[in-house]
Amino acid sequence: MKVQSSTIENKYLRIKSINIGACLYEVYDKQKKINLILNLGSIKNYSSKNFYVGATCGRYAGRISNSKFKIKNKTFKLDGNEGRNTLHGGKIGFDRLEWKIKHHSKTKIIYQLLSKNLDQGFPGDLNSECVFEIKNKSLIIKYQYKSNQFTHVSLTNHSYWNLNKNKKETIFNHDLKINSEKYLEVNNKLIPTGKFKKVNNTINDFNKFKNIGEKIDIIKNKNTKKTSNKINALGFDLTFCVKKNSKNYLASLKNKKTNIQLNFYSNLPGVQLYTSQGLKYKNKLAPYQGVCLETQHYPDAPNNKNFPSTLIKPKKLYKYFTKINIS
């Protein structure tokens, strides 16, 4: 695979992306002179497996239980890559593939990928596009896809945000707000149980800005009921159900030290909060160095009838967006 980087920019932002995994490499705020996401250093490092840093995850972002699902009474066995379960599409997910550049202008780039029938076990030839576009101080990420068969799809961008000037500093000085009243309860393998739980009076309440470091301290010190946070003992890896609103507002992340705030908007039903407690890459990336806000469909939706459906119909085009306003 040939690793190729591309740049789009305007007077406010410079965005670098990589064809392997349709990956965000840099989101650079020209006024603050700060790159807002983590990367792997040399672009050559993207030719080997990593922790989905900046990547487009697919065919199915998140986890699918027992690496299988049924469509019209036919069971499809998927490639398991996390014990018995499938994470982010399998061992060779979209983050590992070489996307083609369909279009590249000064402020927009479109990546394209064809995933053939039964790739990682998923049915149907799936044509996907990933768009990165900038308008003023906003980064817009768009996904659209179409298949020739019924299949399940969920794509997300897996950027690790860090609003510090020095990326070695952790996200403990970041404050987070999430527009959500409920989250998905999970078992000890991080698979949704199918139950929706209220965030009220739990560690998972981010309806007002809360400091991430203080929340993680509470989790680590076990000053919280296991029923309110069954993720693990180190941080967050949890799906929040977005409260519907006319502006598609989802979440905000801010850092008072650098005076930067990100406001997230999306037409997707969920956002996965991951505080990078498992992040480790050579001597460059370490736990808690970034925070992921992965806009996506619910994990394991193919096996949960009470979740919004991720089943797509043949020859129908599906479109989703995430917009990030930077101020």
Side-chain angles (χ1 to χ4, degrees), residues 14 18-19 68 79 81 87 92 97 99 106 112 144 166 186 193 202 219 224-225 248 294 316 322:
R14 182 177 71 235
I18 290 177
N19 61 328
K68 63 182 179 181
D79 177 47
N81 62 329
L87 173 65
I92 309 175
L97 300 177
W99 293 60
K106 190 171 183 182
Q112 196 171 45
Q144 66 177 42
N166 177 6
V186 292
T193 63
T202 76
I219 295 171
T224 180
K225 294 178 182 178
N248 290 306
E294 303 158 54
K316 183 179 177 182
T322 299

Side-chain angles (χ1 to χ4, degrees), residues 46 68 82 138 165 265 292 297 315:
Y46 286 81
K68 63 182 179 181
E82 191 182 64
S138 297
K165 193 134 191 167
Y265 303 83
C292 299
H297 291 284
K315 298 180 182 177

Side-chain angles (χ1 to χ4, degrees), residues 130-284:
C130 166
V131 179
F132 298 130
E133 183 176 9
I134 47 175
K135 291 182 180 178
N136 296 317
K137 289 205 76 177
S138 297
L139 167 62
I140 301 143
I141 303 169
K142 297 177 187 172
Y143 291 120
Q144 66 177 42
Y145 44 81
K146 184 191 290 186
S147 175
N148 61 353
Q149 293 184 42
F150 283 97
T151 190
H152 286 282
V153 184
S154 175
L155 304 183
T156 194
N157 177 269
H158 202 295
S159 286
Y160 289 83
W161 298 92
N162 182 323
L163 309 184
N164 293 306
K165 193 134 191 167
N166 177 6
K167 291 294 174 275
K168 293 290 184 184
E169 292 182 39
T170 70
I171 50 160
F172 294 163
N173 63 353
H174 289 45
D175 298 325
L176 176 64
K177 181 167 73 171
I178 301 176
N179 178 35
S180 173
E181 295 177 339
K182 295 176 182 177
Y183 66 95
L184 301 184
E185 182 187 66
V186 292
N187 64 22
N188 61 359
K189 299 294 184 185
L190 302 179
I191 299 291
T193 63
K195 293 181 180 177
F196 296 88
K197 294 284 188 173
K198 291 184 179 180
V199 301
N200 274 3
N201 300 315
T202 76
I203 191 71
N204 303 318
D205 190 344
F206 285 93
N207 271 293
K208 294 180 181 177
F209 274 110
K210 297 292 172 73
N211 178 260
I212 292 175
E214 289 176 9
K215 289 270 194 182
I216 290 174
D217 274 345
I218 294 169
I219 295 171
K220 283 182 171 179
N221 294 328
K222 295 184 169 57
N223 294 329
T224 180
K225 294 178 182 178
K226 285 187 178 179
T227 51
S228 70
N229 191 316
K230 293 178 77 174
I231 40 182
N232 58 38
L234 297 172
F236 291 89
D237 194 352
L238 202 65
T239 304
F240 289 82
C241 310
V242 179
K243 184 181 176 184
K244 288 186 178 179
N245 62 98
S246 60
K247 293 183 178 180
N248 290 306
Y249 172 69
L250 182 96
S252 296
L253 181 71
K254 68 180 181 180
N255 182 336
K256 292 174 185 173
K257 186 177 176 182
T258 53
N259 195 29
I260 294 175
Q261 179 167 323
L262 311 179
N263 294 320
F264 291 76
Y265 303 83
S266 181
N267 59 344
L268 283 154
V271 59
Q272 188 79 9
L273 170 63
Y274 178 49
T275 48
S276 71
Q277 54 270 17
L279 181 63
K280 196 173 182 182
Y281 182 78
K282 299 181 178 179
N283 62 352
K284 183 169 179 61

